[in-house]
Amino acid sequence: MFDTLSDRLAATFKNLRGKGRLSEADIDATCREIRIALLEADVALPAVRAFIKQVKERALGAEVSGALNPAQQVIKIVNDELVNILGGETRRLRYAKTGPTVIMLAGLQGAGKTTLAGKLGHWLKEQKHTPLLVACDLQRPNAVTQLGVVAERAGVAIYAPEPGNGVGDPVKVARDSIEFAKQKQYDVVIVDTAGRLGIDAELMQQAADIRAAVDPDEVLFVVDAMIGQDAVTTAQAFLEGVDFTGVVLSKLDGDARGGAALSVAHLTGRQIMFASNGEKLTDFDAFHPDRMASRILGMGDILSLIEQAEKTFSQDEAAKMASKLASKGGKEFGLGDFLSQLEQVSKMGSLSKLLGMMPGMGQMRDQINNIDDRDVARVGAIIKSMTPSERDDPKLINGSRRARIAKGSGVHVSEVSSLVERFFEARKMMSAMAGGKGIPGMPGMPGMGGGGARKAKQQKQAKGKKQSGNPLKRAAEQKAALERKAASTQDGAAFGPGAAKLPENFELPKEFKDLL
């Protein structure tokens, strides 16, 4: 969603590199480019003005760091202000001292409240809570049924005494759900309310009545991150009518310009608490302003990547794999181990999303977006078609075995050959890195090793032409070389070997003599 903004900011900062100091004109030009980039990203004008004012004041002030060059100083200032405009510190859920904690969802129809209720329930379940979803959207057709399906997928309970489709009192359902949660020992109640296609009095009154009935600990305003400037208008209307305590961004994986995320928190004074960035129940997490700012500026999001890895990978298993790679040149690390690692990575989510969290990967965005996650399944099918002995020692895989594996996995023989060859190369590289030897074939880097092959090749080339081992033949070659050198000196003079010999009576033309 922030790709266009990231590209524009990267191009702006690129123009600052190489400058020893920044003049006021440089700062003005940079702020102008940042302003255009934010406006093109659909950020609200008041938020843009406040942002640019802060950046310019800090850039022109005495904020100088000896460790940073001017371009890095501007990037740091922009990063800090992006964090501020996104809400500053990460905002956590406030839980009730005596349960259950009540969370009410509000927003327009189509913003994704019902789906988000399931995602929030799944997230809370992972946090060792016992959530209950409450169906208070009794207006929209099949809204209750949809919430039931979402709750089943998330593995959480649902309270839906009314069939919906215009039947039932949502305020009574919300009030009764609190008593039901207390009886059944649910510690979090998530109330899904009705929405409208636009702001109207009936919508606001119903939301206000539900709020008064359940006295929620948190009121989360769910906003579609793709609706642009209208998100700010809607947020301000809900702030006046319902007074929400936090914001949830849905559909953050879309390709819209995403200015709503940079505008809502600044203009409403309510922080973004959660972000939904995909269709799966797991594509949902707490919103971290500092991490989002880092991703917008193309600096990656290593902390989120580490958190996902910690959820998926076992430390004991990771240590076991590392020891296999470090010992015996990595020969103990087989295709079976590689497959288990690949399956662990795929559990973390889409490969393109994971790579997008790595610093500097913004320059390779097109290649990352072209990654097909089905390739992982194809590689898994090839490895699973091998025998245990072939997985442990891929060198056993000869021509006939490759044909059998290809037939068993439904791929061409060349794909099996390519996988085996790439595995050997990758194992060699990972083994060298695990042993602290650096990457084979790469130029030597401080602390990284490597570069041995290239160094040996350069030494070999520096030795010059080989001489004959026969003494007579070697003496003849040396004599011929001396004669060639003498002849070239006489013929070429200052022009070097091979220059043409001038005739004895040669004379420059008159025009050249006058010129000289």
Side-chain angles (χ1 to χ4, degrees):
M1 178 163 282
F2 297 108
D3 286 353
T4 305
L5 177 59
S6 297
D7 291 342
R8 287 297 301 264
L9 290 176
T12 302
F13 297 142
K14 191 175 181 181
N15 296 331
L16 297 177
R17 288 175 191 154
K19 295 191 176 184
R21 61 182 298 276
L22 296 182
S23 65
E24 190 171 342
D26 291 330
I27 294 171
D28 287 340
T30 302
C31 289
R32 192 182 310 115
E33 291 295 323
I34 295 173
R35 183 188 296 110
I36 293 170
L38 292 172
L39 290 173
E40 286 184 350
D42 222 5
V43 181
L45 185 58
V48 174
R49 284 174 175 164
F51 182 87
I52 295 299
K53 182 183 177 184
Q54 284 295 108
V55 170
K56 185 177 285 190
E57 284 179 1
R58 290 182 60 182
L60 289 171
E63 192 174 314
V64 179
S65 171
L68 303 175
N69 62 38
Q72 291 170 336
Q73 287 178 29
V74 173
I75 293 172
K76 181 182 181 301
I77 291 168
V78 171
N79 179 71
D80 292 345
E81 292 307 319
L82 272 176
V83 172
N84 289 336
I85 203 172
L86 286 168
E89 296 181 359
T90 304
R91 162 88 152 76
R92 306 288 182 182
L93 275 175
R94 285 194 294 259
Y95 295 99
K97 292 180 180 179
T98 55
T101 300
V102 181
I103 301 172
M104 175 180 165
L105 303 181
L108 293 180
Q109 185 173 314
K113 292 191 302 300
T114 303
T115 305
L116 197 129
K119 289 183 176 183
L120 180 58
H122 182 268
W123 184 83
L124 287 165
K125 186 181 175 184
E126 287 187 334
Q127 307 292 322
K128 309 302 181 186
H129 292 283
T130 52
L132 172 70
L133 305 189
V134 180
C136 288
D137 184 357
L138 306 179
Q139 309 291 330
R140 183 168 59 88
N142 293 320
V144 176
T145 306
Q146 182 192 355
L147 187 65
V149 173
V150 169
E152 185 179 354
R153 285 175 54 203
V156 298
I158 181 174
Y159 179 74
E162 299 290 352
N165 299 326
V167 178
D169 180 6
V171 179
K172 184 177 183 301
V173 171
R175 188 183 297 112
D176 294 345
S177 69
I178 306 301
E179 291 301 319
F180 179 82
K182 288 178 180 178
Q183 292 173 10
K184 301 294 182 181
Q185 300 294 308
Y186 293 108
D187 67 342
V188 181
V189 176
I190 302 171
V191 181
D192 179 30
T193 62
R196 294 289 190 279
L197 294 175
I199 303 297
D200 60 20
E202 185 183 357
L203 164 71
M204 288 301 172
Q205 188 58 50
Q206 187 183 100
D209 290 344
I210 292 174
R211 172 162 190 159
V214 299
D215 189 21
D217 300 281
E218 296 279 10
V219 179
L220 302 183
F221 172 59
V222 183
V223 59
D224 184 343
M226 299 176 69
I227 64 174
Q229 292 287 328
D230 197 44
V232 178
T233 308
T234 308
Q236 288 174 332
F238 270 90
L239 186 64
E240 294 169 7
V242 186
D243 189 23
F244 55 85
T245 59
V247 179
V248 181
L249 286 175
S250 65
K251 307 178 188 178
L252 204 59
D253 57 325
D255 57 358
R257 291 175 289 182
L262 299 175
S263 307
V264 171
H266 176 76
L267 296 178
T268 63
R270 303 293 187 270
Q271 287 182 256
I272 301 169
M273 295 177 60
F274 296 98
S276 171
N277 57 0
E279 296 293 328
K280 296 179 182 177
L281 286 171
T282 52
D283 294 334
F284 174 86
D285 207 348
F287 184 85
H288 302 279
D290 53 342
R291 301 183 192 181
M292 182 56 72
S294 181
R295 291 177 75 170
I296 290 173
L297 294 177
M299 294 186 286
D301 187 0
I302 289 294
L303 287 175
S304 294
L305 189 60
I306 290 170
E307 285 179 0
Q308 288 193 33
E310 285 177 341
K311 289 179 187 176
T312 309
F313 281 85
S314 162
Q315 289 188 356
D316 295 337
E317 188 70 19
K320 183 180 175 183
M321 293 300 171
S323 65
K324 281 188 175 184
L325 283 167
S327 62
K328 297 182 181 179
K331 291 180 181 178
E332 292 185 358
F333 187 84
L335 279 166
D337 300 317
F338 174 68
L339 177 61
S340 67
Q341 294 291 295
L342 207 60
E343 288 174 342
Q344 294 287 338
V345 171
S346 62
K347 286 179 184 177
M348 291 171 62
S350 167
L351 286 177
S352 56
K353 284 185 180 178
L354 295 177
L355 288 172
M357 293 181 185
M358 299 291 287
M361 284 296 179
Q363 300 170 0
M364 302 172 63
R365 191 178 299 121
D366 292 338
Q367 294 93 318
I368 290 173
N369 291 336
N370 288 331
I371 293 175
D372 189 352
D373 289 324
R374 290 175 295 182
D375 289 338
V376 177
R378 195 175 294 113
V379 169
I382 294 172
I383 298 175
K384 287 174 182 176
S385 297
M386 300 176 184
T387 63
S389 58
E390 288 169 347
R391 293 179 202 172
D392 293 337
D393 186 8
K395 289 183 178 179
L396 296 174
I397 304 174
N398 55 22
S400 60
R401 290 175 185 250
R402 292 183 188 196
R404 189 202 78 241
I405 294 166
K407 189 175 181 180
S409 56
V411 300
H412 197 270
V413 177
S414 61
E415 292 187 54
V416 180
S417 302
S418 176
L419 171 63
V420 174
E421 290 169 8
R422 282 183 296 163
F423 170 73
F424 283 132
E425 291 174 5
R427 185 172 71 177
K428 182 180 179 183
M429 182 177 70
M430 290 188 293
S431 175
M433 293 177 70
K437 298 176 183 177
I439 303 174
M442 290 288 284
M445 294 177 66
M448 288 294 289
R454 179 173 293 188
K455 189 176 180 181
K457 188 176 179 182
Q458 289 173 347
Q459 289 176 348
K460 189 176 179 181
Q461 288 175 348
K463 287 181 180 179
K465 188 179 177 181
K466 289 184 178 180
Q467 292 183 338
S468 173
N470 188 326
L472 294 174
K473 191 175 180 181
R474 187 166 64 245
E477 287 176 351
Q478 290 174 351
K479 185 179 179 182
L482 289 170
E483 289 176 353
R484 284 196 300 271
K485 186 176 181 181
S488 64
T489 304
Q490 291 174 0
D491 292 343
F495 297 99
K501 189 174 181 182
L502 297 175
E504 292 181 1
N505 299 325
F506 176 80
E507 201 170 346
L508 282 171
K510 183 177 182 301
E511 293 82 358
F512 280 94
K513 286 182 178 179
D514 294 339
L515 183 64
L516 292 169

